[in-house]
Amino acid sequence: MANATNRGNRSRSSIKILLLGDGGVGKSSIISTFVSRHFSSVVPGKMTKVRLPPDPTIGGFIITTIMDSQDGDGALISAAEAIDSTCDADAVSEMGSTGTSTDSGVGGGYLLDRVERSVNFGGGIDHVDSIILVYDLGRIETFDRLESHWLPLIERCYNSKLPVIIAGNKLDLLHHTSNELNRSHRQVIALLQRFKFVRQCIKCSAQNLRNVDEIFLKARQSVLYPITPALYDLEKCCLADNCKRSITRIFRMYDVDNDGLLSSIELNAFQKYAFNVQLKEGDFKGWQKLISRHEDREVEAVVRDGKFTVAGFMAIFDIFICQNRLDVPWKILRQFGYDDDLKLHIPRSLYKPQNLQHTDKDILRNNDWNLSASARNFLTAIFHQFNSAEDGTLSKDDILKIFWVIPGASLPPWHPKRAKELFKRSFSLPVSSKNLVSDVASDVNPSILNSGESVENCKLKSPIEPLAFSDWMGHWHMISAVSPSLTRAEMYRLGHIENPSTIGLFRHDNSSASTQARQRITGSNLSSSTETRLWVIGKRGSGKTTLINYLRSTNDDNISEDLSPDRGILTLPESLSKKAATSFTSVRTKSFTASSKGGIEETETMNHISYLIFTEIPGIDLCNLEQKDRDMSELKSQMFGTHRSNRTSCDLVMFVFDPADTSSLSYVKEIENVVLDDNMPRVFVASASYDGSTSLENAGLEMSHQYCESIDLEPPILLKEWTRSKVLDYLCHIIRGGPIRVIPYGERKRREAQKKSVIRWFGGLLTTSLVIAIGVGIFINRSKTDARKELQVSWWRNFLPVGRRKYVN
């Protein structure tokens, strides 16, 4: 993030400043004095273009070009007439095509840009970034023409988008009385209130260089640090909505203890990262006193318990803007990754795989989708912080408060209004368990929104239902299974930082506080959780949607017709019927651990939540061979990845078939043979559409039993005979590694692996024994050889004289 300070100006390489005004007001003299640093009484009628070298303190490596004008209003009038004719032609063309006339506007650009390519106006009025409008302080008629002529003309040509600095020249010749000065001040104020694009009015003197540098500095700063439209709403005289969202997000990043307040320590961490300067205690108290007198204090308390609230943090930015120190808020916003439109830059690192682990089967299991411990703590803390009723359930207003910092539709990423666009490039689409599609817009409590947010922007076609803690976490696990990178980016937009040291924090969350908060939410000891991805595959009409609806319902009776696809909560719109759909359900279990302390046996209860994330794979048309091959290839690539990164995207495959339709069994068998490998766990599920009480009375079930037996799998799950809890317990048992046959020929593979292990063990034992025997043999043989040699030497030594025996070894 350190390189993001000038993010908003990376695409800008130059700034063009144009000087306009009546003749004789001193435009050329101001440029000449600014460049040469001394006043000349004789200057050309129009100065040539002046290029200033880059200034590291202003804009970095941006070149500034200053352009003089002579009779510039003539060029502007020609441009305005051309614009009017162009707009009239556009209106006629639009009426001819649609039969109605609408004011299409300019779409955010300058009006002059629409015609500058076809008409050469001259005078250097095109491609301008800022204007310095000069008048003569000694000639009142030049000031009057600012309001009556120049500013309306600039507004007409540049659509009020171009910042203007008004310069009152010849201050050295001004000798007004106090009454005249007061009247002049009131006129300037009225001018600034009428023309919002006028940034500042400065009095200067080209003869003695007074405020000349200030004029060009403010003109450049007006381009580098724009006040509208992203930063400030000049009509309402308050921070713009997107600016409030950005500031609120930064506030959350430094709210370490998640109490909704910034302490002196937290604010000091922000100050040190943003400006590399420590915050003194006196400064902290001084800011508290200053913002306590701020105009917006009636909206929300700016200081509470000696700490800054969100409103107080915004008030600091508001004060800098009101003091025309726009460089301060812009440097902060760019430091945290925002561009000139306050669009947040998402770091590339969030889109890279985070965690790939090797398994015993030498297959890269794709664990990248699992939420990190830091992400879980962040989501837990934010749940508790915004749980206004403290009842363990987020209300609709609570959820909207959490996602208010995201521009546009401030909705959860799993909401249909956002999910369709956000996950349009993903393999599947998340479907919330709470989304009961309705055509009636829900009402939104406007009090939950920050000031300036309209209720109309928050009317939803699908109501937001309350979420318990398990539902809240389950939704995040669900979208993480759909797209891990988009989920990390979404949490980043909410204020989560995986590595807090990058923003000057060395502890982003308080572990004990997070644990206590989570215990209050769950109502018992800290819960552990596991997340499992299940792919549900079957022919169209085989009952996949019915199965998932049944497992995600709260009805533990046998499956009924109430959960048919036509009435199911998972049914997708017609436009999305060919896209995979991902949903989830959670299963809560308890485990008991016995421990002994001081001779007293204690039993500890631990809650465990299993999140089952279902991805319903749309049916493949096996009759269309060309399309079939493409769909099969896509399904295989989504499940296992490419040949270079062999990563599995699911943990268990559920093959759903209709026993009354033998072709549905053939369908899943073909998918199994083409897509799956022998190491992928799978179960077969018979939907509830068959007649008869036993499997032997149905040919489809008999065929499925025979097939499962032939590949050493458990018999199919009979959905019509099993209760919901029984099916979920069965799936959880598989997840925990219970003795259930879910891998083809698993028992045979186990016996073969055991046999190979025994053979390797005996082989190793035999090899070791052989090595030991050979070693012992060599040792014994060497000992005998040494003894024989010693005997021979001793016999030969007896024949030598006594004096020479010592030389015989």
Side-chain angles (χ1 to χ4, degrees):
M1 261 188 209
N3 298 326
T5 305
N6 295 321
R7 184 176 305 282
N9 300 318
R10 283 182 177 178
S11 59
R12 180 180 294 277
S13 59
S14 64
I15 295 176
K16 292 184 179 181
I17 302 174
L18 174 65
L19 273 74
L20 292 175
D22 291 334
V25 296
K27 301 185 295 297
S28 301
S29 296
I30 291 176
I31 297 175
S32 174
T33 302
F34 176 70
V35 175
S36 62
R37 312 308 297 170
H38 73 275
F39 176 74
S40 176
S41 58
V42 180
V43 294
K46 179 181 178 181
M47 296 287 292
T48 59
K49 290 183 179 181
V50 177
R51 285 184 172 85
L52 303 179
D55 187 349
T57 62
I58 307 175
F61 299 97
I62 297 177
I63 298 174
T64 302
T65 302
I66 301 175
M67 298 179 294
D68 196 4
S69 66
Q70 190 174 26
D71 299 328
D73 56 344
L76 287 176
I77 292 173
S78 300
E81 292 175 351
I83 289 170
D84 291 340
S85 61
T86 302
C87 292
D88 292 340
D90 290 346
V92 172
S93 175
E94 187 173 352
M95 289 179 65
S97 60
T98 63
T100 58
S101 176
T102 58
D103 185 11
S104 59
V106 185
Y110 304 145
L111 284 170
L112 187 60
D113 294 338
R114 302 184 63 178
V115 292
E116 64 182 6
R117 295 182 180 178
S118 58
V119 182
N120 183 15
F121 301 109
I125 68 170
D126 53 348
H127 301 293
V128 175
D129 299 306
S130 180
I131 290 178
I132 297 177
L133 187 57
V134 186
Y135 74 97
D136 189 343
L137 288 170
R139 297 160 54 194
I140 189 63
E141 66 273 11
T142 61
F143 179 83
D144 293 339
R145 275 176 55 83
L146 297 183
E147 184 175 8
S148 63
H149 176 69
W150 284 105
L151 290 174
L153 193 57
I154 293 172
E155 182 179 30
R156 187 176 170 189
C157 290
Y158 296 101
N159 197 27
S160 303
K161 299 293 184 181
L162 209 63
V164 174
I165 303 296
I166 295 180
N169 193 23
K170 303 182 182 182
L171 181 61
D172 55 295
L173 302 178
L174 185 63
H175 301 287
H176 286 320
T177 63
S178 58
N179 292 332
E180 291 175 335
L181 291 175
N182 291 334
R183 184 175 66 253
S184 175
H185 181 70
R186 289 195 299 270
Q187 290 174 335
V188 170
I189 295 298
L191 200 68
L192 295 174
Q193 291 176 346
R194 177 180 174 185
F195 300 98
K196 302 296 184 181
F197 55 90
V198 177
R199 287 283 296 270
Q200 202 165 353
C201 192
I202 303 174
K203 296 178 181 180
C204 66
S205 173
Q207 184 170 359
N208 55 27
L209 275 76
R210 183 177 178 181
N211 291 337
V212 173
D213 293 347
E214 184 76 5
I215 293 172
F216 292 98
L217 174 64
K218 295 301 181 181
R220 283 183 284 182
Q221 287 183 343
S222 67
V223 179
L224 298 176
Y225 311 118
I227 191 171
T228 57
L231 192 65
Y232 203 78
D233 189 336
L234 293 174
E235 297 294 334
K236 299 178 180 178
C237 296
C238 64
L239 296 175
D241 289 340
N242 283 345
C243 183
K244 292 179 180 179
R245 290 185 173 96
S246 304
I247 296 173
T248 303
R249 175 182 171 272
I250 297 174
F251 180 93
R252 290 183 185 179
M253 294 167 65
Y254 284 89
D255 185 13
V256 177
D257 52 6
N258 298 289
D259 62 348
L261 302 170
L262 282 187
S263 64
S264 59
I265 298 176
E266 294 167 340
L267 193 63
N268 180 63
F270 162 77
Q271 166 88 2
K272 188 174 181 181
Y273 174 73
F275 302 104
N276 199 24
V277 176
Q278 291 279 358
L279 183 68
K280 299 179 181 178
E281 183 65 24
D283 296 336
F284 184 79
K285 294 181 179 179
W287 273 111
Q288 287 182 335
K289 293 180 180 178
L290 181 61
I291 67 173
S292 295
R293 301 190 299 269
H294 198 264
E295 294 180 355
D296 289 341
R297 63 183 182 273
E298 67 274 4
V299 176
E300 182 183 348
V302 294
V303 177
R304 188 167 65 245
D305 299 332
K307 301 177 182 180
F308 288 94
T309 63
V310 176
F313 193 59
M314 289 184 184
I316 297 176
F317 285 77
D318 202 341
I319 290 173
F320 278 114
I321 294 175
C322 292
Q323 294 176 350
N324 204 27
R325 296 180 60 186
L326 301 177
D327 57 318
V328 176
W330 272 119
K331 287 179 180 178
I332 294 173
L333 292 169
R334 289 167 181 163
Q335 182 80 355
F336 286 92
Y338 291 94
D339 63 8
D340 285 350
D341 297 323
L342 290 186
K343 293 180 180 179
L344 180 62
H345 169 76
I346 305 298
R348 291 182 177 270
S349 59
L350 295 180
Y351 294 104
K352 297 179 180 179
Q354 304 290 312
N355 181 26
L356 292 179
Q357 299 178 353
H358 289 274
T359 65
D360 296 336
K361 299 178 181 179
D362 296 328
I363 297 178
L364 284 173
R365 292 290 178 184
N366 186 4
N367 294 327
D368 174 47
W369 73 280
N370 292 111
L371 297 176
S372 65
S374 175
R376 294 168 191 257
N377 289 335
F378 171 78
L379 294 173
T380 301
I382 205 171
F383 180 95
H384 177 68
Q385 179 181 352
F386 287 89
N387 181 20
S388 57
E390 297 185 358
D391 57 353
T393 300
L394 289 177
S395 66
K396 176 184 65 177
D397 290 353
D398 295 337
I399 296 173
L400 289 177
K401 281 183 181 180
I402 293 175
F403 292 97
W404 184 82
V405 297
I406 299 178
S410 301
L411 301 171
W414 51 81
H415 192 277
K417 190 173 181 179
R418 286 197 64 203
K420 182 179 178 180
E421 178 65 24
L422 185 63
F423 299 96
K424 63 181 179 180
R425 295 187 178 182
S426 301
F427 175 71
S428 65
L429 185 74
V431 180
S432 172
S433 61
K434 301 295 183 179
N435 287 341
L436 300 174
V437 180
S438 173
D439 294 332
V440 181
S442 62
D443 55 340
V444 179
N445 184 2
S447 64
I448 70 166
L449 303 175
N450 288 29
S451 59
E453 182 71 8
S454 64
V455 179
E456 302 300 326
N457 296 332
C458 295
K459 288 185 177 180
L460 317 174
K461 290 186 177 180
S462 297
I464 298 178
E465 297 294 333
L467 294 178
F469 178 72
S470 59
D471 293 328
W472 166 256
M473 294 301 297
H475 279 87
W476 285 102
H477 291 305
M478 175 183 65
I479 65 171
S480 184
V482 173
S483 178
S485 58
L486 292 178
T487 303
R488 289 191 293 267
E490 188 72 11
M491 288 191 292
Y492 184 78
R493 293 186 185 98
L494 291 179
H496 172 248
I497 302 296
E498 187 68 28
N499 186 7
S501 62
T502 58
I503 60 169
L505 289 174
F506 296 97
R507 185 181 59 182
H508 186 267
D509 53 4
N510 190 316
S511 299
S512 61
S514 178
T515 299
Q516 293 173 4
R518 195 166 177 180
Q519 287 179 352
R520 284 194 294 268
I521 294 169
T522 57
S524 58
N525 290 339
L526 191 63
S527 299
S528 60
S529 66
T530 56
E531 303 80 37
T532 306
R533 298 161 300 177
L534 301 93
W535 279 25
V536 183
I537 300 176
K539 186 180 177 182
R540 293 176 184 173
S542 60
K544 304 188 298 296
T545 304
T546 303
L547 168 65
I548 297 176
N549 287 343
Y550 178 51
L551 296 180
R552 295 168 65 240
S553 67
T554 57
N555 182 18
D556 197 40
D557 297 332
N558 294 91
I559 193 166
S560 64
E561 298 298 329
D562 294 338
L563 293 171
S564 62
D566 294 335
R567 303 181 61 182
I569 58 177
L570 237 181
T571 303
L572 292 176
E574 185 69 23
S575 58
L576 299 176
S577 59
K578 293 184 178 181
K579 194 175 182 68
T582 297
S583 56
F584 79 95
T585 189
S586 59
V587 181
R588 186 184 297 271
T589 58
K590 291 185 178 182
S591 59
F592 303 93
T593 304
S595 60
S596 177
K597 295 181 180 180
I600 301 176
E601 293 187 359
E602 297 180 353
T603 302
E604 182 179 359
T605 304
M606 174 68 73
N607 284 332
H608 184 84
I609 302 177
S610 297
Y611 293 100
L612 305 181
I613 302 171
F614 303 99
T615 298
E616 181 183 355
I617 307 300
I620 298 175
D621 187 3
L622 300 182
C623 298
N624 189 340
L625 298 181
E626 183 178 355
Q627 183 66 32
K628 165 192 167 184
D629 293 339
R630 287 198 298 266
D631 292 343
M632 289 284 195
S633 178
E634 172 69 12
L635 185 59
K636 189 171 183 178
S637 64
Q638 290 294 332
M639 183 173 291
F640 294 102
T642 62
H643 64 282
R644 295 181 180 178
S645 58
N646 191 21
R647 301 178 296 164
T648 59
S649 297
C650 71
D651 303 300
L652 178 65
V653 177
M654 300 179 69
F655 286 118
V656 182
F657 65 95
D658 183 358
D661 182 9
T662 56
S663 64
S664 65
L665 180 60
S666 302
Y667 173 89
V668 296
K669 287 168 62 178
E670 183 170 357
I671 297 289
E672 179 188 26
N673 294 330
V674 175
V675 178
L676 271 63
D677 61 15
D678 290 340
N679 296 318
M680 175 62 65
R682 69 206 70 181
V683 294
F684 284 79
V685 181
S687 62
S689 59
Y690 68 94
D691 297 326
S693 58
T694 62
S695 60
L696 298 180
E697 296 179 5
N698 189 279
L701 284 179
E702 186 176 357
M703 292 173 59
S704 63
H705 274 77
Q706 293 175 356
Y707 177 73
C708 291
E709 185 177 356
S710 65
I711 61 175
D712 196 20
L713 290 180
E714 295 289 342
I717 297 175
L718 305 181
L719 196 58
K720 196 167 186 177
E721 300 178 5
W722 289 35
T723 62
R724 172 180 175 272
S725 60
K726 183 177 180 180
V727 177
L728 293 177
D729 290 343
Y730 185 79
L731 295 176
C732 292
H733 198 46
I734 295 174
I735 295 168
R736 291 192 295 266
I740 300 177
R741 297 170 296 166
V742 292
I743 296 179
Y745 312 106
E747 184 63 24
R748 187 178 68 183
K749 291 178 181 178
R750 188 188 64 80
R751 289 195 300 267
E752 291 178 353
Q754 186 177 12
K755 183 178 179 180
K756 291 179 180 179
S757 177
V758 172
I759 293 175
R760 284 195 298 268
W761 186 83
F762 276 108
L765 180 62
L766 182 61
T767 302
T768 303
S769 301
L770 183 60
V771 170
I772 293 175
I774 294 174
V776 172
I778 293 174
F779 176 76
I780 295 175
N781 184 56
R782 182 177 295 177
S783 300
K784 291 182 178 180
T785 302
D786 293 343
R788 191 181 305 111
K789 183 177 180 181
E790 180 64 26
L791 180 61
Q792 293 175 354
V793 171
S794 300
W795 176 80
W796 177 252
R797 191 183 299 168
N798 294 330
F799 291 94
L800 294 177
V802 177
R804 299 188 63 183
R805 291 181 181 177
K806 63 181 180 178
Y807 298 105
V808 180
N809 294 327

